[in-house]
């Protein structure tokens, strides 16, 4: 096993933020950078100071809340053509950010020099060398990102090598190969990196200039390309959490790190820091307001999910039968999926993961399985609604605490039409029984489900104030029998959160309001039990 150190360089705050649909506030960036710092990432690229006011504020804000171990890196291009470095406003902003490390990108591809910069090849070499040298003279350590490196090398290898030599001459500490268009494949990456090491006569085992890799995922090979580079001697990998980035994204550090460390034996993070990978992946997805990818390798909720009865039975005996690593190594957990394909082993294993011990010889166990299959035949789906499944188990065990009862509800909708738009207002009336006290509440909403949710919360919050922290994070509707038209049965999945945990509940009915009501009510019930820590281990059978 290798013990070689790999230096991780996170660019979520700059390159990752260029993904369509992501817009980070200053507060968002501060939260993310501290989370990455806590996880042990050694280099964190904060942004391009001078490019926008928010990035300028970010670097100043960090002076008030400094990082514990990570080096914060400012990012910028080389100086402009035919302009001195000490008069370039971009470089002045870089110096004002006052970071120890600076990443400068320059053109490697002659096409970009002549067509993009509209300057000569010789001037581009001077821009690279002089910019790096200027920053070094100001006490900065420089990482040189060779933009469009692989395309440039394949088009004109001699010139591409000359750009690297200019960066070395200027005093760069790192040379980073950028697959900016994301079109290079792993075998090409390996060949080119190997050739560059030879042409530059680099001894990567000695002190001196080091190599890095920055890959994009346009060909779906960003992680594979980064690994190919590491195997050729590269010791810095740049990427983003969850692979965020422009177009198809960047190399996903949540996939790359465990592959390098657990499969290839490189040292990326301390073992205890590696266990923060899955929770931090989800935390950052919340900050950027994108749903987590449940099927992401290593960190997704379904990465260690088992559905087939034979698989579940085998995993219960030895997890190695269907798991390539222990999920706990990356902070994830095994998940037993409950569906109409489930056998007793699924029910027992899933119940155990919820802290409930079932005996396969106990009649209750088969009762739960039969109830599950009957409900799924009606259209319920517990595969994506584990909170409802846990409540189902508690009901079967006669251990489901009665928190409240719904005595009835009515929903009234008004559709106000105009030439410009349609406006829907709803009014819900609900009667609830709590501790033998009957309550009648009314609330408005922008639709029937919203109004019903508001009315229910209004009635219950005086008894269960924790409801004030609950909010709906996702709402999905599925038509189950499309041939029935508007009479079709619908399934509603409601995901709720209290700011720390998420849970999903399900409802099914030919009436979409009734299906939504079922899911919303169970979501509130489960949230109360969860917050009060009343969902606890239960022992059943021998």
């Amino acid at each position: 096993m290798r013990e070689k150190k790999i230096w991780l360089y996170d660019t979520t705050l700059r390159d990752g933020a260029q993904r369509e649909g992501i817009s980070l506030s200053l507060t968002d960036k501060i939260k993310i950078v501290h989370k990455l710092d806590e996880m042990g990432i050694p280099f964190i690229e904060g942004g391009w100071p001078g490019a926008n006011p928010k990035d300028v504020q970010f670097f100043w804000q960090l002076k008030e809340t400094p990082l514990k171990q990570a080096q914060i890196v400012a990012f910028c291009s080389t100086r402009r053509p035919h302009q001195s470095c000490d008069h370039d406003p971009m470089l002045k902003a870089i110096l004002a950010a006052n970071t120890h490390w600076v990443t400068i990108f320059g053109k490697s591809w002659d096409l970009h020099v002549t067509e993009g910069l509209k300057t000569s090849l010789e001037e581009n070499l001077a821009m690279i060398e002089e910019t790096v040298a200027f920053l070094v003279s100001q006490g900065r350590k420089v990482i040189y990102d060779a933009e469009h490196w692989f395309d440039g090398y394949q088009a004109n290898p001699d010139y591409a090598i000359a750009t690297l030599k200019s960066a070395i001459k200027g005093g760069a500490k790192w040379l980073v190969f950028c697959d900016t268009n994301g079109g290079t494949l792993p075998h090409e990456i390996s060949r080119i990196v190997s050739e560059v090491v030879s042409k530059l006569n680099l001894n990567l085992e000695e002190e001196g200039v080091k190599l890095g890799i920055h890959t994009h995922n346009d060909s779906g090979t960003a992680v594979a390309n980064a690994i190919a580079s590491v195997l050729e001697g590269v010791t810095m990998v740049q990427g983003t959490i969850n692979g965020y980035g422009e177009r198809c994204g960047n190399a996903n550090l949540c996939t790359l790190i465990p592959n390098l460390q657990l499969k290839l034996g490189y040292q990326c993070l301390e073992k205890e820091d590696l266990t923060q990978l899955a929770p931090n992946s989800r935390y950052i997805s919340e900050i950027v307001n994108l749903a987590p990818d449940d099927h992401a390798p290593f960190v997704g909720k379904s990465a260690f999910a088992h559905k087939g009865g034979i698989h579940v039975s085998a995993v219960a005996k030895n997890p190695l039968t269907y798991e390539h690593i222990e999920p706990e190594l990356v902070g994830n957990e095994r998940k037993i999926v409950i569906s109409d394909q489930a056998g007793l082993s699924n029910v027992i294993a899933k119940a155990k993961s919820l802290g409930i011990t079932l005996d396969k010889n106990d009649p209750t166990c088969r009762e739960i399985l039969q109830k599950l299959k009957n409900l799924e035949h009606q259209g319920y789906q517990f595969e994506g609604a584990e909170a409802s499944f846990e409540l189902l188990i508690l009901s079967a065990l006669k251990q489901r605490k009665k928190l409240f009862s719904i005595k009835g509800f009515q929903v009234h909708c008004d559709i106000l039409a105009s030439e410009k738009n349609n406006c829907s207002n709803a009014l819900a009336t609900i009667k609830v029984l709590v501790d033998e006290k009957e309550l009648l509440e009314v609330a408005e909403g922008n639709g029937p489900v919203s109004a019903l949710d508001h009315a229910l919360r209004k009635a219950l919050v005086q008894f269960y104030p924790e409801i004030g922290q609950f909010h709906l994070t996702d709402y999905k509707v599925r038509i189950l029998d499309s041939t029935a038209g508007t009479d079709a049965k619908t399934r509603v999945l409601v995901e709720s959160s209290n700011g720390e945990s998420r849970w999903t509940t399900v409802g099914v009915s030919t009436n979409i309001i009734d299906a939504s009501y079922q899911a919303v009510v169970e979501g509130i019930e489960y949230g109360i039990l969860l917050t009060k820590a009343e969902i606890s281990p239960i022992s059943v059978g021998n």
Side-chain angles (χ1 to χ4, degrees):
M1 296 290 284
R2 301 172 178 86
E3 297 294 335
K4 195 171 184 178
K5 172 73 175 177
I6 296 297
W7 298 92
L8 301 174
Y9 182 112
D10 182 277
T11 181
T12 304
L13 298 178
R14 185 196 63 81
D15 222 351
Q18 294 185 53
R19 170 172 167 154
E20 185 178 4
I22 290 182
S23 179
L24 298 176
S25 68
L26 178 59
T27 301
D28 293 338
K29 295 188 68 167
I30 294 296
K31 288 180 179 178
I32 291 173
V33 75
H34 282 288
K35 187 62 69 174
L36 296 172
D37 179 43
E38 291 170 9
M39 194 168 69
I41 303 292
F43 291 99
I44 305 172
E45 191 174 86
W48 186 333
N52 59 74
K54 183 167 57 182
D55 280 0
V56 173
Q57 289 179 296
F58 170 79
F59 285 97
W60 281 102
Q61 183 74 30
L62 274 186
K63 294 178 182 179
E64 299 179 13
T65 56
L67 303 181
K68 296 177 181 179
Q69 59 82 34
Q71 293 285 345
I72 192 69
V73 184
F75 180 86
C76 188
S77 69
T78 57
R79 67 162 173 82
R80 292 185 174 91
H82 308 293
Q83 186 174 62
S84 64
C85 292
D86 52 1
H87 288 95
D88 193 311
M90 293 188 301
L91 296 179
K92 288 181 180 180
I94 284 288
L95 295 177
N98 201 31
T99 61
H100 189 56
W101 284 88
V102 174
T103 293
I104 292 295
F105 74 90
K107 303 298 184 183
S108 307
W109 193 354
D110 55 4
L111 174 71
H112 273 259
V113 176
T114 58
E115 298 297 322
L117 293 178
K118 296 295 183 181
T119 192
S120 67
L121 300 183
E122 293 75 16
E123 173 63 8
N124 182 56
L125 296 178
M127 290 161 59
I128 296 169
E129 180 182 343
E130 291 172 14
T131 304
V132 174
F134 172 75
L135 291 170
V136 170
S137 73
Q138 300 299 310
R140 305 301 192 267
K141 292 186 177 180
V142 178
I143 299 167
Y144 176 69
D145 274 11
E147 191 184 33
H148 292 282
W149 167 258
F150 295 97
D151 294 310
Y153 183 86
Q154 295 189 83
N156 188 339
D158 291 340
Y159 183 74
I161 290 292
T163 64
L164 295 184
K165 289 181 177 179
S166 294
I168 294 172
K169 191 174 180 181
K173 296 292 185 182
W174 293 87
L175 304 177
V176 179
F177 305 128
C178 300
D179 187 26
T180 310
N181 285 350
T184 315
L185 297 179
H187 71 286
E188 297 172 303
I189 295 277
S190 297
R191 174 182 61 81
I192 293 172
V193 172
S194 177
E195 288 178 8
V196 172
V197 171
S198 176
K199 289 181 179 181
L200 292 178
N201 195 27
L202 295 176
N203 187 339
L204 299 178
E205 301 300 322
E206 296 180 354
E207 291 297 322
V209 66
K210 298 297 183 184
L211 302 179
I213 185 69
H214 177 114
T215 55
H216 285 253
N217 202 40
D218 299 73
S219 297
T221 57
V223 168
N225 286 348
I227 291 173
S229 298
V230 170
L231 293 175
E232 293 297 334
V234 164
T235 51
M236 173 186 281
V237 291
Q238 297 188 0
T240 62
I241 296 298
N242 298 326
Y244 298 142
E246 194 172 20
R247 304 184 313 275
C248 304
N250 289 41
N252 188 343
L253 290 179
C254 297
T255 304
L256 186 53
I257 292 170
N259 270 318
L260 289 173
Q261 185 152 333
L262 300 177
K263 301 298 184 71
L264 295 172
Y266 290 97
Q267 179 61 39
C268 298
L269 296 173
E270 297 298 327
K271 288 183 178 180
E272 58 270 22
D273 293 329
L274 187 62
T275 64
Q276 296 304 307
L277 197 60
N280 284 349
S281 164
R282 295 163 195 164
Y283 173 85
I284 291 173
S285 72
E286 292 288 347
I287 296 295
V288 304
N289 199 29
L290 290 175
D293 180 1
D294 288 346
H295 299 279
F298 296 101
V299 298
K301 287 175 62 177
S302 299
F304 300 94
H306 307 283
K307 181 174 179 178
I310 294 175
H311 291 200
V312 173
S313 177
V315 167
K317 298 170 185 174
N318 188 338
L320 288 176
T321 53
Y322 287 97
E323 292 177 353
H324 63 120
I325 66 163
E326 297 175 21
E328 294 79 11
L329 292 174
V330 291
N332 211 338
E333 60 184 3
R334 185 171 301 113
K335 178 181 177 183
I336 305 302
V337 177
I338 294 299
S339 74
D340 59 359
Q341 297 183 34
L344 281 178
S345 56
N346 290 63
V347 174
I348 293 169
K350 183 60 183 177
K352 184 177 180 181
S353 74
L354 299 173
I356 302 171
T357 302
L358 295 175
D359 185 343
K360 66 180 180 179
N361 297 316
D362 191 296
T364 305
C365 191
R366 291 193 176 276
E367 179 186 328
I368 293 171
L369 178 60
Q370 190 57 50
K371 179 73 171 176
L372 167 73
K373 291 182 179 290
N374 289 341
L375 288 172
E376 291 226 352
H377 181 68
Q378 296 173 33
Y380 286 81
Q381 184 189 63
F382 295 96
E383 180 177 330
E386 294 180 330
S388 287
F389 176 71
E390 187 166 358
L391 293 176
L392 183 153
I393 290 181
L394 293 177
S395 293
L397 299 175
K398 297 178 174 55
Q399 298 187 34
R400 183 172 176 177
K401 186 177 180 180
K402 197 72 173 178
L403 300 175
F404 56 86
S405 298
I406 308 296
K407 309 303 291 184
F409 69 88
Q410 290 182 332
V411 180
H412 178 78
C413 294
D414 288 323
I415 306 295
L416 305 176
S418 68
E419 292 183 1
K420 293 184 178 180
N421 53 42
N422 289 334
C423 178
S424 174
N425 294 318
L427 182 72
T429 304
I430 192 166
K431 186 181 290 187
V432 185
L433 184 67
V434 186
D435 292 339
E436 299 184 354
K437 182 178 180 181
E438 196 170 85
L439 302 171
L440 182 67
E441 291 291 353
V442 179
E444 292 182 308
N446 60 9
V449 178
S450 172
L452 181 61
D453 183 40
H454 290 165
L456 181 58
R457 290 167 183 268
K458 189 176 178 181
L460 295 176
V461 73
Q462 56 188 298
F463 294 93
Y464 305 108
E466 57 268 32
I467 289 175
Q469 302 299 317
F470 299 171
H471 60 279
L472 187 148
T473 56
D474 201 1
Y475 176 86
K476 297 186 179 75
V477 178
R478 174 76 183 275
I479 301 299
L480 300 179
D481 45 349
S482 58
T483 57
T486 55
D487 292 327
K489 184 180 290 186
T490 59
R491 177 170 62 227
V492 171
L493 288 174
V494 167
E495 185 181 74
S496 306
S497 174
N498 60 4
E500 296 180 359
S501 303
R502 286 173 175 262
W503 59 93
T504 303
T505 46
V506 62
V508 174
S509 175
T510 53
N511 185 324
I512 191 172
I513 296 177
D514 180 39
S516 301
Y517 149 77
Q518 296 173 34
V520 167
V521 169
E522 284 205 345
I524 290 176
E525 179 185 355
Y526 186 88
I528 294 171
L529 292 172
L530 186 67
T531 305
K532 289 181 173 295
E534 294 187 17
I535 298 178
S536 55
I538 303 169
S539 180
V540 180
N542 296 325

